[in-house]
Amino acid sequence: MRLPLRSFCTFRSLYSQTQTTNAHRRGLSGVAMRLVQFHRHGDGRGIRVGVEQGEGLGVVDLKEFDPSMPSTMRELLELGDKGLECAQRALSSGQCVLERSQIQLLSPVLAPEKVVCVGMNYRDHCLEQNAPIPKEPIIFSKFASAITGPYDDIILPSESQEVDWEVELAFVIGRRGKHIQEKDALSYVAGFTVANDVSARDWQMKRNGKQWLLGKTFDSFCPLGPALVTTDSVKDPHNLGVRCLVNGDTVQSSNTDQMIFKTEALVAWVSKFVTLSPGDIFLTGTPPGVGVFRKPPVFLKRGDVVECQIDQLGSIINKVV
């Protein structure tokens, strides 16, 4: 059947609009990868960006594969699809591979413009403390100086005697946006990672006017990693098992299906107030099982080992010193 010319032009216009909309919603490259930042032992080249061949496997050095590529994750994300497509080519090449013994993994993102945190965002965590379900996201922040690597130490500050654990799903913004609609929000997310929102409860709940910032932002209070797992690698970020272990004992065990405000809602909400930029980090809240609400309360001490695990993303392991 031949369409009249006018009908054909209308059809072609609608098809083009649909394709553009779908591409916009898909966002960054649409490729499944595990991106990392690392130091290479024994050389002075500083921070590098790589692509894991698989969880716990070798890492492709992106800059060695293509010297035009940047050395940090934030700069890579600022390149948009161009950077991620190069990372995919590097991974497919099988070249420039480093063994894990040759590198030290760093946080997937360092020096972000923002670290956005969400409080009281798990239904079961609200029930744990007999708190009402929030009607809108409760937003606070950490300073970027709190960020540390997936296997680095958590430093107990002398100013606090009540340091606590909080396993959290984190996500990283991949492109700049303001007033983002929920239906488009995932296209602004580069990927997901594991976080520990380490918290000094005495400073969070009792001191400094009960403002949360100081209790959340001591140095080393934001372990992240081990990789930035791109959005297309995660089938459903809101159906992932989440666990925290202290000295091998499970203290938190839940699922991201308990999140009150999902990733899309958080992106839309926060972007009403601030422009989101590539590399911005969101910590999405913690499930029940934190130390402060145990009877009696339990807090971290020197020598403890904290492991935070999220299905499909991996685990971070940090010793308390």
Side-chain angles (χ1 to χ4, degrees):
M1 180 182 73
R2 292 187 61 185
L3 291 172
L5 180 60
R6 181 179 298 176
S7 298
F8 174 76
C9 291
T10 301
F11 172 79
R12 184 174 64 180
S13 174
L14 288 171
Y15 177 79
S16 175
Q17 290 175 21
T18 300
Q19 293 299 98
T20 300
T21 300
N22 287 341
H24 177 68
R25 288 182 182 176
R26 185 179 68 247
L28 303 177
S29 74
V31 174
M33 290 183 292
R34 298 177 60 89
L35 302 168
V36 297
Q37 282 192 143
F38 64 93
H39 284 310
R40 188 170 180 172
H41 295 313
D43 72 15
R45 291 186 287 180
I47 298 171
R48 313 283 280 193
V49 180
V51 191
E52 284 188 328
Q53 293 183 305
E55 185 177 349
L57 300 180
V59 171
V60 178
D61 186 334
L62 186 54
K63 196 168 185 66
E64 191 162 318
F65 174 80
D66 182 346
S68 72
M69 285 294 102
S71 296
T72 71
M73 189 76 72
R74 182 173 170 182
E75 291 171 320
L76 180 72
L77 295 177
E78 286 170 348
L79 290 177
D81 285 346
K82 175 186 175 183
L84 296 182
E85 287 164 1
C86 181
Q88 175 62 24
R89 289 196 304 274
L91 178 62
S92 299
S93 76
Q95 301 172 15
C96 308
V97 179
L98 299 169
E99 299 299 322
R100 300 301 281 247
S101 60
Q102 296 177 275
I103 65 173
Q104 175 192 352
L105 285 188
L106 308 173
S107 166
V109 179
L110 294 167
E113 188 177 285
K114 306 174 196 68
V115 181
V116 179
C117 305
V118 186
M120 308 287 289
N121 198 32
Y122 275 66
R123 294 182 186 279
D124 47 7
H125 184 46
C126 292
L127 293 172
E128 173 184 47
Q129 51 192 301
N130 297 315
I133 302 297
K135 296 289 193 293
E136 60 190 25
I138 299 171
I139 302 299
F140 62 98
S141 184
K142 288 177 178 277
F143 294 139
S145 55
I147 293 172
T148 194
Y151 310 117
D152 293 341
D153 293 338
I154 296 169
I155 302 169
L156 280 187
S158 58
E159 292 81 6
S160 176
Q161 282 70 53
E162 298 183 358
V163 176
D164 203 350
W165 57 82
E166 289 192 8
V167 61
E168 305 206 7
L169 174 70
F171 65 84
V172 177
I173 295 298
R175 61 191 181 100
R176 188 176 178 86
K178 181 79 183 290
H179 297 297
I180 300 165
Q181 299 298 307
E182 279 196 39
K183 64 183 176 64
D184 301 320
L186 277 183
S187 74
Y188 288 81
V189 176
F192 297 87
T193 193
V194 183
N196 186 351
D197 179 14
V198 184
S199 306
R201 301 301 188 189
D202 37 9
W203 283 93
Q204 179 190 359
M205 297 178 168
K206 303 171 186 175
R207 303 187 61 178
N208 197 46
K210 299 182 180 180
Q211 294 287 324
W212 290 8
L213 177 64
L214 288 183
K216 294 282 190 173
T217 205
F218 283 98
D219 291 350
S220 78
F221 271 27
C222 190
L224 288 171
L228 177 61
V229 182
T230 57
T231 303
D232 291 275
S233 301
V234 182
K235 183 176 181 181
D236 181 359
H238 306 119
N239 188 21
L240 300 174
V242 180
R243 294 167 296 279
C244 179
L245 291 76
V246 177
N247 301 326
D249 295 327
T250 301
V251 292
Q252 291 182 280
S253 182
S254 186
N255 191 289
T256 55
D257 64 7
Q258 290 291 306
M259 286 172 59
I260 299 163
F261 302 102
K262 312 298 188 188
T263 300
E264 298 90 335
L266 295 175
V267 170
W269 176 259
V270 174
S271 71
K272 291 180 181 180
F273 305 93
V274 296
T275 300
L276 300 182
S277 300
D280 286 350
I281 299 168
F282 278 65
L283 274 62
T284 62
T286 198
V290 295
V292 70
F293 296 124
R294 292 176 174 267
K295 300 185 188 306
V298 177
F299 298 110
L300 294 173
K301 61 186 184 303
R302 284 177 179 80
D304 285 345
V305 176
V306 185
E307 180 173 3
C308 295
Q309 307 170 344
I310 299 182
D311 293 349
Q312 301 180 38
L313 305 184
S315 65
I316 57 177
I317 304 171
N318 306 94
K319 184 177 180 179
V320 180
V321 301

